[in-house]
C-alpha cells in the first residue's frame, strides 16, 4: 500500500509547476483528479514546449500528467460548478497555480473552500507571491531565471546563460508537494487544515541558498571562469573538459597532484592552494590543452585509480545503455485509456525498498467524468 492511498487531491493547476507537485502526490498513492476546461483542457496539452507530439498532444503533458484522472467542467457553469463543489468538499487537498486573485474571482479561493471543508490542505503556487510590484507578472520559468540572478551562474564568463530545463517550475512544484505532505502529517495529529503557499520567485531564491549566503558574507557578485566553468564559486579544476575523443568532468582536486597523474609539468608549479581559485582561468587553460592529447577513457583510467573525482560526460543514448542506469530500473511503461503506450520515468522515491510505479498514462480530456460523478458526486 502506498503511503498516500485514500487521499483525494483536487488539482486545478495547469502547465508545469502545479501539475508536477500533483504528480509527486499521485506517485505516492493519492487519487489526483485534474480539473480541466471542456474543449481545451490544460494549456499544456497544446502549448508545445517541444516539437514532439505523443498521441496528438504535447509530450510534456504526457510526462507530467500520468497517473491522474481528468474531470472536464466549466467552472462558470452553475451545474458544473455544483459538481466541482461536491468534489472539493470531499478533498484532502485542493491546489492550483493561478495568478493571485484568479481563484477568488472563480469562487474557489482558500477562504471559500475552507468554509465548506474546514480541514482541507489548500496549496497554491504563484509566480511572485501575493504582494509586491511583481505579483501580477506571468510566472514563466525563463523570466524567473532571468529576474533572480540564476542566469549569471551557468556557462562561461560573459553574458547570462539560462539552465536548459524549466527548473524553477519543477522546484516550486517540489516545494509545494513538500509543504502539503508536512501539513497532511500535522492534520493526522491535530486535525488542522492549512494554506500552503509557494512562489516561483521564492523557490528560485532558495535554490541559490549557497551562492546568496556567500554574497551576503563578502558582498561580491559571482564570477564565472572564462572557460570550462561549472560553478562560479569553485576553483580549478572544477569543470567539463574536451578530450581527444569526447568530454570528461573534473571536480575538486589538488592541482600539483593532477599535474603529476596526468603528466602535465606546467601544472606542478601551482603549489599554493589559493591559486586554484585566483589563477583558475590560467590553470584551466593549461589543463584543457593537455587533456586534448589523449582519450577520455585514458584519463579516467588514470584518475579513477587514484580516487580523483571525475566522470565521463554521457549523452542520454549512452547513459541509458549503461549498467549504472539500467540497474536503477528508472523507466516504466504506461498505457492510456485508448491503448496508446509510452515509456517515461517513475517516481525516484523508494520506501522499504519498494519502487513506486503505476501503469496509468495521462488521461484524455474529461475521460473520467462518468466514474468521478458516480463514485464521488452522486454519492456525496
Amino acid at each position: 500500500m502506498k503511503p498516500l492511498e485514500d487521499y483525494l487531491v483536487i488539482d486545478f493547476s495547469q502547465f508545469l509547476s502545479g501539475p508536477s507537485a500533483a504528480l509527486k502526490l499521485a506517485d505516492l498513492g493519492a487519487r489526483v483528479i485534474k480539473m480541466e476546461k471542456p474543449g481545451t483542457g490544460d494549456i499544456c496539452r497544446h502549448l508545445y514546449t517541444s516539437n514532439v507530439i505523443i498521441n496528438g498532444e504535447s509530450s510534456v503533458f504526457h510526462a507530467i500528467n500520468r497517473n491522474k484522472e481528468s474531470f472536464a467542467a466549466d467552472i462558470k457553469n452553475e451545474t458544473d460548478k455544483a459538481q466541482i463543489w461536491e468534489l472539493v468538499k470531499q478533498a484532502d487537498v485542493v491546489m492550483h497555480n493561478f495568478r493571485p486573485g484568479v481563484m477568488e474571482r472563480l469562487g474557489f479561493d482558500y477562504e471559500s473552500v475552507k468554509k465548506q471543508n474546514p480541514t482541507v490542505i489548500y496549496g497554491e503556487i504563484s509566480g511572485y507571491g501575493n504582494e509586491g510590484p511583481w505579483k501580477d507578472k506571468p510566472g514563466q520559468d525563463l523570466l524567473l531565471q532571468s529576474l533572480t540572478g540564476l542566469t549569471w551562474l551557468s556557462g562561461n564568463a560573459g553574458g547570462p546563460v539560462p539552465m536548459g530545463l524549466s527548473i524553477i517550475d519543477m522546484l516550486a512544484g517540489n516545494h509545494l508537494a513538500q509543504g502539503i505532505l508536512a501539513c497532511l502529517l500535522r492534520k493526522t495529529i491535530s486535525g488542522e487544515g492549512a494554506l500552503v503557499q509557494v512562489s516561483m520567485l521564492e523557490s528560485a531564491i532558495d535554490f541559490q541558498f549557497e551562492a546568496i549566503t556567500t554574497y551576503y558574507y563578502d558582498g561580491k557578485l559571482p564570477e564565472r571562469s572564462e572557460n570550462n566553468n561549472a560553478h562560479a564559486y569553485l576553483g580549478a579544476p572544477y569543470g567539463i573538459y574536451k578530450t581527444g575523443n569526447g568530454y570528461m568532468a573534473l571536480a575538486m582536486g589538488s592541482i600539483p597532484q593532477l599535474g603529476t597523474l596526468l603528466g602535465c609539468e606546467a601544472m606542478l608549479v601551482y603549489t599554493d592552494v589559493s591559486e586554484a581559485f585566483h589563477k583558475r582561468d590560467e590553470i584551466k587553460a593549461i589543463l584543457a590543452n593537455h587533456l586534448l592529447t589523449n582519450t577520455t577513457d585514458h584519463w579516467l583510467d588514470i584518475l579513477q585509480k587514484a580516487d580523483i573525482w571525475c566522470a565521463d560526460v554521457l549523452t542520454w543514448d549512452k547513459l541509458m545503455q549503461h549498467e549504472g542506469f539500467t540497474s536503477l530500473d528508472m523507466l516504466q511503461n504506461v498505457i492510456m485509456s485508448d491503448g496508446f503506450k509510452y515509456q517515461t520515468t517513475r517516481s525516484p522515491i523508494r520506501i522499504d525498498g519498494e519502487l513506486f510505479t503505476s501503469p496509468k498514462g495521462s488521461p484524455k480530456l474529461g475521460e473520467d467524468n462518468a466514474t468521478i460523478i458516480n463514485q464521488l458526486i452522486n454519492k456525496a
Side-chain angles (χ1 to χ4, degrees):
M1 191 173 173
K2 295 179 180 179
L4 294 185
E5 285 189 21
D6 297 327
Y7 282 92
L8 176 62
V9 177
I10 304 300
D11 180 20
F12 290 91
S13 62
Q14 299 189 69
F15 206 40
L16 292 178
S17 61
S20 72
L23 178 61
K24 304 301 180 188
L25 302 178
D27 279 344
L28 291 171
R31 181 179 185 179
V32 175
I33 297 178
K34 185 175 180 65
M35 308 303 297
E36 298 194 76
K37 185 177 180 180
T40 56
D42 185 336
I43 58 174
C44 192
R45 287 183 182 270
H46 306 290
L47 183 60
Y48 303 127
T49 56
S50 75
N51 61 354
V52 178
I53 310 304
I54 297 178
N55 205 18
E57 293 174 321
S58 167
S59 60
V60 176
F61 177 84
H62 293 290
I64 211 164
N65 287 292
R66 59 176 177 77
N67 204 15
K68 303 176 186 178
E69 299 172 43
S70 172
F71 188 79
D74 184 352
I75 204 169
K76 297 179 181 179
N77 176 283
E78 290 305 315
T79 301
D80 287 7
K81 192 170 185 177
Q83 291 183 330
I84 296 171
W85 270 117
E86 290 302 327
L87 296 175
V88 166
K89 288 175 186 178
Q90 300 175 64
D92 298 287
V93 176
V94 174
M95 53 185 290
H96 73 88
N97 63 346
F98 296 120
R99 295 188 197 185
V102 170
M103 289 300 269
E104 283 79 1
R105 291 196 297 273
L106 296 173
F108 288 91
D109 57 286
Y110 173 59
E111 292 301 328
S112 299
V113 170
K114 184 180 178 182
K115 289 178 182 178
Q116 301 295 325
N117 186 347
T119 62
V120 71
I121 307 300
Y122 190 99
E124 58 184 30
I125 297 176
S126 63
Y128 304 84
N130 294 321
E131 300 176 351
W134 291 346
K135 66 183 180 67
D136 294 321
K137 283 181 171 288
Q140 197 278 330
D141 195 273
L142 178 61
L143 309 185
L144 267 298
Q145 287 195 44
S146 300
L147 283 171
T148 57
L150 191 61
T151 58
W152 298 102
L153 297 174
S154 297
N156 294 330
V161 178
M163 295 189 68
L165 292 169
S166 297
I167 188 68
I168 308 304
D169 278 306
M170 304 309 171
L171 288 167
N174 274 278
H175 287 158
L176 183 64
Q178 180 181 2
I180 288 172
L181 290 171
C183 290
L184 284 174
L185 174 61
R186 186 180 71 175
K187 182 178 176 178
T188 64
I189 299 170
S190 67
E192 294 178 71
L195 171 62
V196 182
Q197 295 173 297
V198 171
S199 77
M200 294 173 69
L201 176 62
E202 288 163 299
S203 288
I205 297 299
D206 177 74
F207 187 45
Q208 301 173 82
F209 68 92
E210 176 190 12
I212 289 175
T213 301
T214 303
Y215 167 71
Y216 270 105
Y217 179 76
D218 67 8
K220 296 179 181 179
L221 292 173
E223 296 181 11
R224 294 166 290 173
S225 304
E226 292 181 3
N227 298 292
N228 306 97
N229 177 70
H231 195 298
Y233 288 96
L234 292 178
Y238 205 86
I240 291 177
Y241 297 84
K242 187 172 177 57
T243 68
N245 69 337
Y247 293 87
M248 64 177 289
L250 273 170
M252 291 77 76
S254 162
I255 303 304
Q257 182 188 17
L258 279 174
T260 300
L261 290 169
L262 298 173
C264 181
E265 292 186 8
M267 294 175 63
L268 301 179
V269 300
Y270 299 99
T271 55
D272 187 337
V273 174
S274 66
E275 291 178 314
F277 187 86
H278 297 300
K279 295 183 179 180
R280 65 179 179 179
D281 287 326
E282 182 180 315
I283 295 169
K284 284 185 173 186
I286 295 170
L287 179 58
N289 286 329
H290 186 75
L291 291 175
L292 289 171
T293 63
N294 219 313
T295 66
T296 299
D297 287 341
H298 173 80
W299 299 126
L300 291 178
D301 183 60
I302 294 171
L303 296 177
Q304 288 173 346
K305 287 178 179 177
D307 200 26
I308 301 296
W309 291 354
C310 57
D312 200 350
V313 179
L314 301 177
T315 51
W316 286 336
D317 54 343
K318 293 180 180 178
L319 166 67
M320 293 175 187
Q321 294 173 12
H322 197 287
E323 185 182 359
F325 176 83
T326 58
S327 63
L328 296 175
D329 200 17
M330 257 310 289
L331 298 177
Q332 62 179 346
N333 292 306
V334 297
I335 184 169
M336 297 176 64
S337 59
D338 62 0
F340 184 86
K341 299 178 181 179
Y342 62 97
Q343 193 172 47
T344 186
T345 56
R346 62 164 174 81
S347 169
I349 299 170
R350 297 174 188 239
I351 296 180
D352 297 328
E354 182 183 355
L355 298 181
F356 282 9
T357 60
S358 170
K360 180 177 173 58
S362 55
K364 292 287 188 180
L365 177 59
E367 76 171 33
D368 299 292
N369 276 45
T371 300
I372 292 167
I373 289 171
N374 290 330
Q375 291 182 351
L376 296 174
I377 295 175
N378 289 344
K379 293 184 179 181

